[in-house]
Amino acid sequence: MDRPGCYRLSPQGLSLFVRVTPNAGRDAIEGVETRADGSVVLRLRVKAVPDKGQANAAVTALLAKALGVPKSAVSLTSGETARLKTLAIAGDGAALAAAIEALV
């Protein structure tokens, strides 16, 4: 079921690989992108500015709402100041993967 390739299942849930565009006109999940290096990421846009963690908080809120999980279930594991980020999402990995599939 790993078709999009933008996530990896883990015992606690899954790791999601995203590319964030901050300071956008709207908050949105734009779909899956295959990068030049072959990596696959989920593209996100958030209205928040990349200042003092505001964009990261907006990413967390956007994904939590879209996947139907509490914000506390979504945590940033790498890429705090980068556009490319890895997020850990706690919960049933298979159900979360299905929710991501439905989004894209």
Side-chain angles (χ1 to χ4, degrees):
M1 191 186 214
D2 245 332
R3 191 193 46 90
C6 59
Y7 60 85
R8 184 173 305 124
L9 294 174
S10 72
Q12 297 79 28
L14 58 78
S15 295
L16 181 64
F17 310 106
V18 299
R19 179 179 183 272
V20 179
T21 302
N23 215 8
R26 62 192 173 94
D27 290 346
I29 297 173
E30 295 201 315
V32 174
E33 171 186 42
T34 302
R35 303 187 44 80
D37 64 2
S39 63
V40 180
V41 294
L42 183 64
R43 291 198 50 185
L44 306 175
R45 300 176 84 74
V46 293
K47 291 187 281 189
V49 295
D51 184 41
K52 298 185 179 97
Q54 292 177 37
N56 290 339
V59 166
T60 299
L62 176 64
L63 284 171
K65 183 177 179 185
L67 297 174
V69 298
K71 284 190 250 184
S72 60
V74 181
S75 59
L76 184 66
T77 56
S78 71
E80 188 172 334
T81 59
R83 285 178 181 254
L84 295 174
K85 302 179 184 299
T86 303
L87 297 130
I89 305 174
D92 176 4
L96 290 168
I100 290 169
E101 297 271 351
L103 291 175
V104 298

